[in-house]
Amino acid sequence: MRLGVWLIVPLVLALLGVGAWLRLREVQGTYATSGLAVGICQANGEIAEETRQELSSAALSFLELFARSPNEARELMSERGRAATVDRASLEGAHAIYRSMETVSPPVVTETYLVRFLGGSEGGSRVPCGFVGGRAAFVSRGGTLSSAVVLVAEEFAGGSGRTTSVWIERENGAWRIRALNFGISRIVGKGSAELWEAARNQRGRGNDFNAAMLYAAARSALQRGPFYQDRLMQDFNADISTFLAPDIVRGDAPFTWTFGGETFEVTQVQYVGFESGDVALVIDHAPSAWTENAEAEAINRRLIDSFSAAYPEWREVFDAVVARAAKPNSNQRWGTVYRRSVGYSDTPNIERQGDVLASP
């Protein structure tokens, strides 16, 4: 298993404040917001072919340029987009993360939403669009009379994938990008719907730890940034609001885990997909002290063994458990891998924070 972790937390470029959702009423495809604005939102095939092609071209061209030169791409953004990306360090940091995730397929536009209102929305008020099965997606209005959201999908090795949502405004006769959001939308063959279904299945079996990890992965895969909300989100939020995660992962990290009298300070727990197609539970923790790698290995194994004894059902969801011990006053971690099929790996695995130097 290669320890090249897919990020599952969405990253936002040009993050703008989004106004409170408006309660809208549908009148023959036209939306009225209590007299404040009147407009229409069209989705996919409802949009004229020529306009859809223009929007697709604008989104794909911008992403191609952003991948090569983020600062050059910024100059082609809308006025509001440029104003929101004045921090060049953040822009270049987002670019580095975007490029670090190597794709195995060209980007493909999967959904397009066109919003036209009598007035713009500086705050990005959301409107419902593209009703399917009684549920609508919600997209943000841009600051101009016409705006759009385009979703672009890409594939990674191992069955994972990324979706980038691109927010576009019609400015001075041209479609210009206001913001984009990118994040993992599929993890080893499972998208948000499949991860959510698996979470409910584990919850029904009483495996609340597994359910908590799957719910977290599903929520992450659903997120498309502040200017787009997936149709599933409303029902997903209603379901997860009735779920109580087990104590060891309830609330925000760090967590304190105690097994058999030994305490572990856990800084992060993740549902992670790898290029190999395996899914692992990755546990980052911070032992009070270790100097030799053998000490870290022993601590990691005690953590994995204790966790496995308490939650043997992890094997129903994960191919492996990975424990990573942070070295005090250092940027190094020592990782230990326990595979469901073969047990512990004997291959040394020392990492710097953020960089995998060796993997089993």
Side-chain angles (χ1 to χ4, degrees):
M1 178 185 298
R2 183 181 175 189
L3 294 182
V5 177
W6 296 126
L7 301 179
I8 62 173
V9 179
L11 298 156
V12 179
L13 169 65
L15 176 61
L16 304 182
V18 177
W21 295 4
L22 300 176
R23 294 187 180 276
L24 309 178
R25 61 184 177 87
E26 185 180 3
V27 184
Q28 295 180 349
T30 300
Y31 299 96
T33 62
S34 303
L36 297 177
V38 177
I40 186 169
C41 182
Q42 296 172 298
N44 304 314
E46 299 169 349
I47 306 169
E49 178 66 23
E50 181 179 358
T51 303
R52 269 195 299 143
Q53 290 298 327
E54 290 176 358
L55 291 168
S56 294
S57 178
L60 293 173
S61 296
F62 182 84
L63 289 178
E64 191 275 332
L65 182 58
F66 174 69
R68 290 190 289 107
S69 175
N71 289 309
E72 187 177 349
R74 178 188 176 275
E75 296 307 312
L76 298 181
M77 296 178 76
S78 70
E79 180 180 350
R80 296 168 187 81
R82 293 193 303 276
T85 53
V86 292
D87 183 352
R88 299 299 179 92
S90 295
L91 178 66
E92 292 173 359
H95 167 259
I97 295 172
Y98 186 83
R99 287 294 304 271
S100 71
M101 297 187 286
E102 185 176 351
T103 60
V104 296
S105 72
V108 175
V109 171
T110 58
E111 295 191 65
T112 306
Y113 299 88
L114 175 63
V115 180
R116 290 175 290 177
F117 270 73
L118 296 182
S121 170
E122 292 295 331
S125 300
R126 291 182 184 176
V127 299
C129 197
F131 283 87
V132 175
R135 294 297 188 197
F138 279 79
V139 298
S140 291
R141 292 165 49 198
T144 59
L145 301 185
S146 297
S147 59
V149 171
V150 176
L151 303 187
V152 180
E154 297 168 278
E155 301 290 326
F156 297 123
S160 296
R162 171 173 67 194
T163 294
T164 302
S165 47
V166 186
W167 193 15
I168 307 176
E169 296 177 318
R170 185 74 174 178
E171 182 181 89
N172 299 325
W175 291 110
R176 296 186 180 278
I177 277 62
R178 175 161 170 175
L180 63 85
N181 177 93
F182 59 91
I184 299 303
S185 55
R186 192 173 68 260
I187 305 172
V188 187
K190 288 187 172 66
S192 54
E194 292 81 12
L195 290 164
W196 182 20
E197 181 181 3
R200 286 180 291 179
N201 178 272
Q202 287 294 308
R203 179 181 180 178
R205 291 170 56 79
N207 297 335
D208 285 350
F209 179 87
N210 288 349
M213 298 307 301
L214 287 160
Y215 270 124
R219 179 169 51 197
S220 182
L222 268 173
Q223 292 173 343
R224 298 287 182 272
F227 41 87
Y228 176 83
Q229 178 180 289
D230 191 275
R231 293 176 186 85
L232 287 180
M233 187 61 83
Q234 183 177 347
D235 291 337
F236 176 82
N237 285 339
D239 178 37
I240 198 172
S241 68
T242 66
F243 174 70
L244 184 64
D247 288 342
I248 66 168
V249 287
R250 188 179 304 166
D252 298 324
F255 308 109
T256 299
W257 292 5
T258 301
F259 298 115
E262 184 171 11
T263 296
F264 302 91
E265 297 301 324
V266 175
T267 56
Q268 184 171 244
V269 189
Q270 293 177 290
Y271 178 105
V272 177
F274 294 89
E275 291 181 1
S276 63
D278 290 333
V279 174
L281 174 69
V282 178
I283 306 169
D284 290 311
H285 66 117
S288 58
W290 62 272
T291 54
E292 301 296 328
N293 295 338
E295 294 178 77
E297 179 73 12
I299 296 170
N300 282 345
R301 292 196 179 204
R302 290 200 302 273
L303 172 55
I304 292 172
D305 290 343
S306 297
F307 171 80
S308 293
Y311 297 93
E313 63 270 19
W314 69 260
R315 294 169 175 83
E316 295 186 19
V317 171
F318 299 99
D319 298 296
V321 174
V322 180
R324 301 190 298 192
K327 190 172 187 178
N329 303 314
S330 169
N331 66 343
Q332 290 186 337
R333 293 177 296 186
W334 182 268
T336 301
V337 179
Y338 182 93
R339 292 182 178 82
R340 181 182 62 196
S341 58
V342 297
Y344 284 105
S345 168
D346 294 326
T347 305
N349 173 27
I350 189 167
E351 307 175 42
R352 291 184 314 194
Q353 294 286 354
D355 295 310
V356 177
L357 301 185
S359 55

